[in-house]
Amino acid sequence: MADSEDITNIALRRSIFYPAAEIYSNSPSGFWEFGPVGEAIRRKIIEFWRKEFVQKEGFVEIYGAQILPEAVFKASGHLTNFNDPIVQCKKCKALHRADQLIAEKIKEIVPESMSIEELSKLIKHHEVECPKCKSKEFTEVRKFNMMMKVDIGATGDIPCYLRPETCQSIFLDFERIYKTSRQTLPLGIAQAGCSFRNEIAPRNTLLRAREFGQMELEIFFNPKKANDFEKFSTIENNEINLMLSEKAGITPIKAKDAVEKKQVSSKMIAYYLAKWQMLWEKLGVPKEKMRFRKLADDEKAFYAAEAFDFEVLTSLGWIELTACNNRTDYDLKGHAKESKKELSVKEEGDSESFIPHIFELSDGIDRPVWVLLDLAFRKEKRGPEERIYLSLAPRIAPYFAGIFPLVKKDGLLEKGREIFKELESHGFDLVFDEKGSIGKRYARIDEIGVPYAITVDYDTMKDGTVTLRDRDSLEQKRVKAEKLPELLWKLQLGLEKF
Amino acid sequence: MADSEDITNIALRRSIFYPAAEIYSNSPSGFWEFGPVGEAIRRKIIEFWRKEFVQKEGFVEIYGAQILPEAVFKASGHLTNFNDPIVQCKKCKALHRADQLIAEKIKEIVPESMSIEELSKLIKHHEVECPKCKSKEFTEVRKFNMMMKVDIGATGDIPCYLRPETCQSIFLDFERIYKTSRQTLPLGIAQAGCSFRNEIAPRNTLLRAREFGQMELEIFFNPKKANDFEKFSTIENNEINLMLSEKAGITPIKAKDAVEKKQVSSKMIAYYLAKWQMLWEKLGVPKEKMRFRKLADDEKAFYAAEAFDFEVLTSLGWIELTACNNRTDYDLKGHAKESKKELSVKEEGDSESFIPHIFELSDGIDRPVWVLLDLAFRKEKRGPEERIYLSLAPRIAPYFAGIFPLVKKDGLLEKGREIFKELESHGFDLVFDEKGSIGKRYARIDEIGVPYAITVDYDTMKDGTVTLRDRDSLEQKRVKAEKLPELLWKLQLGLEKF
């Protein structure tokens, strides 16, 4: 298993991700860039989510503006509610998140619902120290709004904000998309894009950044019909890793039993939880390392009636990947009121019009990149040497195979290029490397998670075979170069094992 | 040919694109959203650019943060140079771009290099009127910086800006990517992402927005070796639509002649211009509607030594799609100086280290969407009716085919769904529609540019054939349903004509 330093080290060494504007010494923390390898992994995660969850589920996808006017966040509640409690050390002037300082001291989670007065009291009561200068003198706790303001117009007279969550665009567009999509509820609208939060203490690289990707799905539904959900039968016997409380632990339960026992409020929601779990299994998260943690009332976001955090066990412990929230009609109601627009719907068979409820699967993009890298990290002793590789699922590996001519002379280089071109024309993402010893070339692609290596040697020139090497088992076999497209295609789709 | 209103109308009617936060009446202009159809087109344009131009050319792609610290824009020159000249009407207080007001009055382009004093004089001299209130009394022209500021940190003490061009991330990352990519110059680094400009007068929907997509390619090269470019021979006889001056007009010239006559400064640059033209031909721009307009010295951006605007003829006249700039070593030199980092390189065979020069192909994303919609728009009289369709290239059509059961009864609906599932499993993007008359269903997919329609009727139940209809010619043929995957695949790749 990796420790979190391993991921940072490999990320920086191979430019998978790295700090933004890092050539400038005073660049703010919490902004990250993805290099070619990281960008390929990032994009493949999004594409797989899109294919498996958006398209196959019959959802639609939009792409909205990141800057939105103030009225949007008045309606959404973010202007008043999207705050972190902060304190300042009176001695060294450092700013800290009050709840985090307390949590680190008492080794317990501090509920989000706690007031700033209560937090001030707790800081004094537990004699919390400033992590920087060890002073115990703090200002009173105050609220700090995490949204980033941008003033638009030549006189800066149009107050706007960078969206703190991508779903707001979806809520704003719902009415238009609903009318033009010619679909009936439940209607899923998805978006992959960026969100922005002025975190006071960005940390753990991609896990808490100030600018970060989100892929969000907002499913608009009629709460009276949430159990009238035909597709449920296809997964009713699938087990969901539910955790109803810390004490109960993870209790895998069949979707149909979870609904019957009212652990999940409807067939519709249970269906998407089961499907969500399947998505992440396909992306490489072992079943035993995932759970849906049901949130207690004081942990839930201010808009949620029912909430599960989809969490994955990493080298840093359980990390939240996805907020699965039943947001009820909170969002559309708020926007309808503030915009004075009619956002209710009435469909065939409905006796009256109503404001649709929303169930969301709100996922990060950067976080899954980190989590999947963390889960894939392997360090093995092999004699005197250490072997590091990423056992990434082939569908999110940055390249599917490396192509290596053993030497540059005697036509091997040209033969290698020929095979590269042929495989590229079949749509495979490949990396070509002719420099350095073959062992080093293997090590380099192992480290970025490329599943296969194809080596062109003198036998290739004689009998047309190449060596195909498997990243995880290190097994090698000789195969005819002409058979590669079909073989790689089967390996990619999982139709054949190495 | 379309007029520009046609595109706006169809975009709003079919939710291809529409204003952000449009349910709020006072939302600022210049922010747009893409609905499912527009997002599919947008994404397919990016994906084709990535495949054809980034991957096939051996370039790498990064994904950078949109918020960057002040030092970056001090070095890039944007803090001092990225200004629009603005004037305010003394009577109605409306703000205008001074150069645009003058240009509209004198019907001539006003050079970017003109000083604010000269612009003030011209406004008086030509007795320019306020377009809003017709007053001729204006304030003096002043400079207005178009960057959007964002203050980061709990005390807002870290001044940052939303990037006004995506390429800045590429310049910042060059050193790291160069070192870890193990490639030699020329090295192309690409990025698709968002940029932000606080335009005073956003207009023409996607053509001048405040938040907009860019797909940029920055090619780092050794200026001494720009003619040592092997791949040039593959396109040396291709004609490039060069326009050296307004007077000379478009003069298609072979790449090798353009280099020989020094109309283009190097084989490397001529190669990419020729390839760029090919890319847009494949995306549906007719050859006679594209040109590379060589910019005169007073038109070029402040960093460019040699600049071509790649322009496309639309219903609004020639529109700039791509800035093709030879930026020399301006960018890396600026960042090296400001960051005090060594950004020069020295490769095998180089006698001394040098700062790489940059040739860029800086393209929008939203603009191409608009331009390709505009070029694809068709309005035809058919008897008493009018037929509207988008003749989009199949590779960027939002869906490849529509599947329509003639009626819902007698098993046709189920048969249609079966064919849908079968074709979907082959990776085709499809739209299924069982509602309304077949004629209306055809019209609906024609309007969003879907190339083919597959109709399931009573004969399908008897002999397994369906009707395949071609969007542009309206021709129909009967084909066996089981032959559809292969036939559609050939149509998609252009291996077969309808």
Side-chain angles (χ1 to χ4, degrees):
Chain A
M1 197 156 126
D3 67 53
S4 66
E5 285 301 299
D6 287 330
I7 301 305
T8 307
N9 289 341
I10 207 171
L12 295 178
R13 188 166 67 243
R14 301 304 303 273
S15 296
I16 300 174
F17 59 82
Y18 44 90
E22 66 175 339
I23 62 170
Y24 288 96
S25 48
N26 287 317
S27 296
S29 56
F31 295 95
W32 295 89
E33 316 255 312
F34 292 89
V37 168
E39 168 54 5
I41 296 171
R42 198 189 73 89
R43 203 165 54 233
K44 286 181 185 194
I45 293 172
I46 300 172
E47 279 164 11
F48 191 67
W49 162 84
R50 173 175 294 133
K51 197 178 124 210
E52 285 288 299
F53 224 87
V54 183
Q55 295 172 346
K56 282 200 186 159
E57 293 298 329
F59 294 159
V60 297
E61 187 174 349
I62 64 156
Y63 185 83
Q66 301 173 88
I67 295 177
L68 293 167
E70 193 165 52
V72 171
F73 302 107
K74 213 173 142 188
S76 71
H78 284 87
L79 275 180
T80 43
N81 295 327
F82 198 62
N83 303 306
D84 267 352
I86 62 170
V87 280
Q88 189 165 27
C89 168
K90 283 188 176 168
K91 196 174 155 204
C92 76
K93 307 293 176 200
L95 285 159
H96 306 282
R97 263 185 63 175
D99 54 339
Q100 281 174 7
L101 278 194
I102 299 166
E104 279 158 25
K105 176 84 186 188
I106 65 173
K107 312 278 178 217
E108 254 177 64
I109 289 170
V110 177
E112 279 200 28
S113 56
M114 201 164 270
S115 72
I116 51 173
E117 291 77 19
E118 287 171 304
L119 290 168
S120 285
K121 267 187 211 165
L122 280 180
I123 285 183
K124 280 177 201 133
H125 177 76
H126 292 294
E127 301 195 323
V128 171
E129 282 179 1
C130 171
K132 273 205 176 165
C133 76
K134 307 293 168 201
S135 159
K136 290 175 187 172
E137 296 293 312
F138 291 96
T139 60
E140 293 297 301
V141 178
R142 68 178 172 92
K143 282 184 180 174
F144 171 71
N145 192 290
M146 284 190 290
M147 279 199 296
M148 297 185 192
K149 195 159 186 279
V150 187
D151 296 320
I152 301 298
T155 53
D157 53 339
I158 314 170
C160 292
Y161 293 87
L162 285 160
R163 61 184 177 195
E165 49 182 19
T166 56
C167 56
Q168 290 302 325
S169 321
I170 297 177
F171 306 148
L172 297 173
D173 296 1
F174 164 72
E175 188 212 7
R176 164 179 274 287
I177 300 301
Y178 177 71
K179 284 185 180 158
T180 48
S181 75
R182 308 178 70 244
Q183 291 194 39
T184 51
L185 300 184
L187 169 64
I189 306 181
Q191 184 176 205
C194 274
S195 291
F196 303 83
R197 295 177 187 177
N198 195 359
E199 296 281 352
I200 300 156
R203 62 186 186 286
N204 292 334
T205 67
L206 303 183
L207 294 183
R208 191 168 294 274
R210 283 167 162 156
E211 177 183 339
F212 58 99
Q214 287 194 298
M215 40 192 198
E216 295 199 296
L217 283 169
E218 307 294 320
I219 302 162
F220 298 81
F221 68 101
N222 181 342
K224 287 184 186 158
K225 294 181 182 168
N227 273 312
D228 179 12
F229 200 75
E230 216 177 288
K231 289 193 280 187
F232 182 73
S233 63
T234 61
I235 56 84
E236 63 181 10
N237 289 313
N238 287 32
E239 281 189 341
I240 306 174
N241 284 8
L242 273 189
M243 182 166 99
L244 297 177
S245 67
E246 207 62 55
K247 214 176 125 194
I250 303 169
T251 320
I253 182 168
K254 283 186 180 172
K256 63 180 178 189
D257 296 334
V259 174
E260 201 167 292
K261 293 183 180 172
K262 301 201 188 308
Q263 296 177 353
V264 178
S265 71
S266 68
K267 286 183 179 173
M268 189 197 83
I269 292 178
Y271 172 84
Y272 289 116
L273 295 185
K275 280 286 194 170
W276 196 247
Q277 191 169 309
M278 287 162 75
L279 175 75
W280 292 97
E281 272 186 82
K282 289 179 188 168
L283 284 169
V285 181
K287 205 167 181 178
E288 66 277 12
K289 290 191 176 183
M290 48 172 103
R291 69 184 187 194
F292 290 97
R293 188 168 67 84
K294 192 163 191 168
L295 300 191
D297 283 341
D298 60 0
E299 272 191 291
K300 287 184 306 199
F302 57 87
Y303 43 70
E306 175 186 15
F308 301 89
D309 274 359
F310 178 68
E311 299 179 329
V312 173
L313 186 59
T314 72
S315 64
L316 287 175
W318 289 95
I319 299 271
E320 179 201 338
L321 265 199
T322 319
C324 315
N325 289 316
N326 183 348
R327 300 176 72 122
T328 70
D329 58 1
Y330 175 86
D331 305 286
L332 290 186
K333 221 177 196 169
H335 286 302
K337 194 180 157 205
E338 186 71 26
S339 69
K340 300 185 181 64
K341 288 280 186 311
E342 183 57 65
L343 301 181
S344 60
V345 309
K346 190 181 172 183
E347 300 190 332
E348 218 182 302
D350 292 338
S351 55
E352 51 195 5
S353 66
F354 65 99
I355 290 193
H357 284 219
I358 294 171
F359 175 67
E360 77 173 355
L361 289 157
S362 166
D363 198 54
I365 294 175
D366 313 49
R367 266 192 191 205
V369 171
W370 190 93
V371 165
L372 293 173
L373 288 174
D374 182 79
L375 292 177
F377 187 88
R378 303 282 184 279
K379 198 190 275 184
E380 286 173 3
K381 277 271 168 213
R382 287 178 58 81
E385 294 194 358
E386 193 170 60
R387 179 179 175 235
I388 290 178
Y389 65 102
L390 295 179
S391 182
L392 289 173
R395 53 169 59 91
I396 55 161
Y399 306 98
F400 191 64
I403 298 187
F404 306 148
L406 190 65
V407 293
K408 280 185 239 182
K409 57 186 182 177
D410 301 326
L412 269 63
L413 184 63
E414 291 69 25
K415 187 75 195 165
R417 288 218 173 107
E418 192 186 297
I419 293 172
F420 180 89
K421 280 217 163 169
E422 169 67 15
L423 291 176
E424 196 185 40
S425 77
H426 284 83
F428 292 106
D429 291 333
L430 306 163
V431 58
F432 190 85
D433 192 354
E434 76 279 19
K435 293 172 213 152
S437 79
I438 197 76
K440 281 198 179 140
R441 282 183 263 172
Y442 284 147
R444 271 196 295 268
I445 64 163
D446 285 348
E447 204 178 45
I448 57 169
V450 180
Y452 302 103
I454 293 159
T455 307
V456 174
D457 56 22
Y458 285 100
D459 283 344
T460 314
M461 310 306 280
K462 274 185 258 167
D463 61 11
T465 62
V466 295
T467 301
L468 184 67
R469 170 187 176 273
D470 179 58
R471 173 197 65 200
D472 291 356
S473 68
L474 294 179
E475 273 175 46
Q476 303 199 355
K477 52 173 122 175
R478 297 293 299 187
V479 296
K480 284 266 183 199
E482 70 209 42
K483 295 271 184 199
L484 280 172
E486 196 191 334
L487 177 58
L488 291 185
W489 180 74
K490 283 182 178 167
L491 287 168
Q492 192 163 38
L493 292 179
L495 298 174
E496 187 147 331
K497 295 243 165 197
F498 193 86
Chain B
M1 198 156 126
D3 67 53
S4 66
E5 285 301 299
D6 287 329
I7 301 306
T8 309
N9 289 342
I10 208 171
L12 295 178
R13 189 165 66 244
R14 300 304 303 273
S15 297
I16 300 174
F17 60 82
Y18 45 91
E22 64 174 342
I23 63 171
Y24 287 96
S25 48
N26 288 318
S27 296
S29 56
F31 296 95
W32 295 89
E33 315 255 312
F34 291 89
V37 168
E39 168 55 5
I41 296 171
R42 197 188 75 88
R43 203 165 55 233
K44 286 180 184 194
I45 293 171
I46 299 172
E47 280 165 9
F48 191 67
W49 162 84
R50 172 175 295 136
K51 199 178 123 209
E52 284 288 300
F53 225 87
V54 183
Q55 295 172 346
K56 282 199 187 161
E57 293 298 331
F59 294 159
V60 297
E61 187 174 349
I62 64 156
Y63 185 82
Q66 301 173 87
I67 294 178
L68 293 167
E70 193 165 50
V72 171
F73 302 107
K74 210 172 146 189
S76 71
H78 284 88
L79 274 181
T80 43
N81 295 328
F82 199 61
N83 303 308
D84 267 352
I86 62 170
V87 281
Q88 188 164 28
C89 168
K90 283 188 177 170
K91 198 173 153 206
C92 76
K93 308 293 177 201
L95 285 158
H96 306 283
R97 264 186 61 175
D99 54 340
Q100 281 173 7
L101 277 192
I102 299 166
E104 277 158 27
K105 176 85 183 185
I106 64 173
K107 312 280 177 214
E108 256 178 64
I109 288 171
V110 176
E112 278 200 29
S113 57
M114 200 164 269
S115 72
I116 52 172
E117 291 78 18
E118 287 171 304
L119 291 168
S120 284
K121 268 188 210 162
L122 280 179
I123 285 183
K124 280 177 202 133
H125 178 74
H126 290 295
E127 301 195 325
V128 171
E129 282 178 1
C130 172
K132 273 205 176 165
C133 76
K134 306 295 167 200
S135 159
K136 289 174 187 171
E137 297 292 315
F138 291 96
T139 60
E140 294 297 301
V141 178
R142 66 177 174 92
K143 282 184 181 175
F144 171 70
N145 192 289
M146 285 189 289
M147 280 199 296
M148 296 185 193
K149 194 160 186 278
V150 187
D151 296 321
I152 300 299
T155 54
D157 53 338
I158 315 170
C160 292
Y161 293 87
L162 286 159
R163 61 183 178 197
E165 49 182 21
T166 55
C167 55
Q168 290 302 325
S169 321
I170 298 176
F171 305 149
L172 297 173
D173 295 1
F174 164 73
E175 187 213 8
R176 166 180 272 288
I177 301 300
Y178 177 71
K179 284 186 180 157
T180 46
S181 75
R182 308 178 69 244
Q183 291 194 38
T184 51
L185 300 184
L187 168 65
I189 305 181
Q191 183 176 207
C194 275
S195 291
F196 303 82
R197 295 176 188 179
N198 195 357
E199 297 281 351
I200 300 155
R203 62 187 186 285
N204 292 332
T205 67
L206 302 184
L207 294 183
R208 191 168 293 274
R210 283 166 163 157
E211 177 183 337
F212 58 99
Q214 287 194 297
M215 39 192 199
E216 295 198 296
L217 283 169
E218 308 293 320
I219 302 162
F220 298 81
F221 69 101
N222 180 344
K224 288 186 186 156
K225 294 182 182 167
N227 273 312
D228 179 13
F229 200 75
E230 216 177 289
K231 290 192 281 187
F232 183 72
S233 63
T234 62
I235 57 85
E236 62 180 11
N237 288 312
N238 286 32
E239 281 189 343
I240 305 173
N241 284 7
L242 274 189
M243 182 167 100
L244 297 176
S245 68
E246 209 60 57
K247 215 174 125 193
I250 302 169
T251 319
I253 183 168
K254 281 185 182 174
K256 62 179 177 190
D257 297 334
V259 173
E260 201 168 293
K261 293 182 181 174
K262 300 199 189 305
Q263 295 176 355
V264 177
S265 71
S266 69
K267 285 184 180 173
M268 188 197 82
I269 292 179
Y271 171 85
Y272 289 116
L273 296 185
K275 281 285 194 172
W276 197 246
Q277 190 167 310
M278 287 163 75
L279 175 75
W280 292 96
E281 273 187 80
K282 289 179 188 167
L283 284 169
V285 181
K287 205 167 180 176
E288 67 278 10
K289 292 191 175 182
M290 49 171 103
R291 70 184 186 194
F292 289 97
R293 188 168 68 84
K294 192 164 191 166
L295 299 191
D297 283 341
D298 60 0
E299 271 190 292
K300 288 184 304 201
F302 57 86
Y303 43 69
E306 175 186 17
F308 300 90
D309 273 358
F310 177 68
E311 298 179 328
V312 172
L313 186 58
T314 71
S315 63
L316 286 174
W318 289 95
I319 299 271
E320 179 201 338
L321 264 199
T322 319
C324 315
N325 289 316
N326 183 346
R327 300 177 73 123
T328 68
D329 58 0
Y330 175 86
D331 305 285
L332 290 187
K333 221 177 196 168
H335 286 302
K337 194 179 158 207
E338 187 71 25
S339 69
K340 301 186 179 64
K341 288 281 185 313
E342 184 57 67
L343 301 181
S344 59
V345 310
K346 190 179 173 185
E347 299 188 333
E348 218 182 302
D350 292 338
S351 56
E352 52 194 5
S353 65
F354 65 99
I355 290 193
H357 283 219
I358 294 172
F359 175 66
E360 77 172 355
L361 289 157
S362 165
D363 198 54
I365 294 174
D366 314 49
R367 268 193 188 203
V369 171
W370 190 93
V371 165
L372 293 173
L373 289 174
D374 182 80
L375 291 176
F377 187 87
R378 303 283 184 278
K379 199 190 276 184
E380 287 174 2
K381 277 272 170 213
R382 289 180 57 81
E385 293 191 1
E386 194 169 60
R387 179 179 175 237
I388 289 177
Y389 65 102
L390 295 178
S391 181
L392 289 171
R395 54 170 57 92
I396 55 160
Y399 306 99
F400 191 64
I403 298 186
F404 306 149
L406 190 64
V407 292
K408 280 185 240 181
K409 56 186 182 177
D410 301 327
L412 270 62
L413 184 64
E414 291 70 25
K415 187 75 195 167
R417 289 220 173 107
E418 192 186 296
I419 293 172
F420 180 90
K421 280 216 161 168
E422 169 67 16
L423 291 176
E424 196 185 40
S425 76
H426 283 83
F428 293 106
D429 290 334
L430 306 163
V431 59
F432 191 85
D433 192 353
E434 77 280 19
K435 293 172 213 152
S437 79
I438 197 78
K440 282 199 179 138
R441 281 183 265 171
Y442 284 147
R444 272 196 294 267
I445 63 163
D446 285 348
E447 205 177 45
I448 56 169
V450 180
Y452 301 104
I454 293 159
T455 307
V456 174
D457 55 22
Y458 285 100
D459 283 345
T460 314
M461 309 306 281
K462 272 185 263 169
D463 61 12
T465 63
V466 295
T467 302
L468 184 66
R469 170 187 176 270
D470 179 59
R471 173 196 66 202
D472 291 356
S473 68
L474 294 180
E475 274 175 46
Q476 304 198 355
K477 51 172 121 174
R478 296 294 297 187
V479 297
K480 284 266 183 200
E482 69 210 41
K483 296 270 183 200
L484 280 172
E486 195 190 334
L487 177 58
L488 291 186
W489 180 74
K490 285 181 177 168
L491 287 168
Q492 191 164 36
L493 293 179
L495 298 175
E496 186 146 332
K497 295 239 166 201
F498 192 86

